[in-house]
Amino acid sequence: MKAELEEITKGALKRIENAQSPEEIERIKLDLLGRKGRLTQLLRQLKDLPPEIRPEVGRVANQAKAKLEAALKERRNSLTPLHQKREVLDVTLPGKRPWEGSIHPLTITLQRIVEIFYGMGFEVAEGPEVETDYYNFEALNMPPDHPARDMQDTYYLSKDLLLRTHTSPVQIRVMERSQPPIRIVVPGRVYRHEAINARSFTVFYQLEGLYVDEGVTFGQLKGVLTAFINEFFAAELPLRFRPSFFPFTEPSAEVDIRCVICRGKGCSVCKGRGWLEILGAGMVDPAVFQRVGYDPERFSGYAFGLGIDRLAMLKYGIDDIRLFYENDIRFLSQF
Ligand code: PHE
């Protein structure tokens, strides 16, 4: 039976090779694999073989069948003229609408914020997301064992390299390479090893602000931030400065805005407090000026860092920060 198989296969392969049209291929296929085809009939006899050799012959037979089917297919393909292979095009069918992209809500928010500060005379600066320990901490007045480092759970890449935990290192980079007056905003991605929930994610966006010149005051900081908030929310929202601590500013404050949802009455977004924290700020610490070679007797400055995700959530009424990073098209296409 094996010999017969071989003979069939050989003969068939030769016929396939010599076939000159798809119709001829069809005929060969029928002769071999049709209901009365030679191979079909042979395969039918398998069951009458003694059980010791049945599996082996069966295997060879199946291989031969697969080989012939492949050869038929290939030859048919090479014989089919190109124009018959192409799909038929029905020009009367409605077209498929291509996906229209939209701008990510964080990008929209970031651009809007930058635009407002640009209008007040701030330039945009940027810095690396992979930072050295020096810029992220040390130059900002946080030596290796400083407890304030614990406030920002850090992803270290090596002993000295990390993913920046805030945009403040760019303050140092810019001051090192330029002289006052400096008036910059720094948008960018920052990373913290935090538990993920509706309010915090391991990646988020900040916008750093820095203004250094002679005679810069806390009052100016307050004025700029108030102007920014009123413009961004297109509403008169009072600001509240709470005394706080950052190693690189003195004095320092955390800044709240009147809740944009309930306007101070108390709601679930502000947890009944009527206020929402949106940024940290303060007057640049003289020790930071000394690091970058500025005379702290001559220059003063303010700095602030605000959470872009937070502002986007408030502006668009989004209650879960994770939505920004999941890239669900149903969410993104609403913007
Ligand atoms: N970098 C601080 C933070 O991420 C915020 C900040 C920026 C505070 C600038 C003061 C001045 O928490």
Side-chain angles (χ1 to χ4, degrees), residues 180-209:
I182 286 175
R183 206 196 300 238
I184 52 161
V185 284
V186 183
R189 223 190 243 259
V190 302
Y191 301 82
R192 288 187 201 177
H193 187 177
E194 293 194 36
I196 293 173
N197 58 44
R199 319 215 123 234
S200 77
F201 202 65
T202 48
V203 181
F204 56 99
Y205 283 80
Q206 284 190 334
L207 181 106
E208 192 85 6

Side-chain angles (χ1 to χ4, degrees), residues 28 30 127 321:
I28 300 171
L30 211 65
I321 189 172

Side-chain angles (χ1 to χ4, degrees), residues 278-312:
I278 51 154
L279 61 90
M283 302 305 289
V284 180
D285 196 293
V288 173
F289 280 152
Q290 255 151 10
R291 283 260 179 202
V292 298
Y294 287 5
D295 178 0
E297 297 295 329
R298 181 166 166 216
F299 296 111
S300 60
Y302 63 69
F304 58 86
L306 57 84
I308 293 178
D309 304 69
R310 195 77 205 279
L311 288 179

Side-chain angles (χ1 to χ4, degrees), residues 247-278:
F248 38 95
T249 47
E250 180 60 34
S252 305
E254 279 174 311
V255 181
D256 302 337
I257 52 170
R258 176 68 39 88
C259 179
V260 294
I261 310 293
C262 65
R263 298 287 150 111
K265 289 194 198 71
C267 67
S268 64
V269 172
C270 61
K271 300 214 186 77
R273 287 192 280 259
W275 295 93
L276 296 163
E277 187 195 324
I278 51 154

Side-chain angles (χ1 to χ4, degrees), residues 30 40 60 79-80 86 118 125-126 134 241 248 277 295 304:
L30 211 65
T40 312
V60 176
L79 287 172
T80 310
R86 235 183 273 148
Y118 191 77
E126 279 178 323
Y134 178 78
F241 286 69
F248 38 95
E277 187 195 324
D295 178 0
F304 58 86

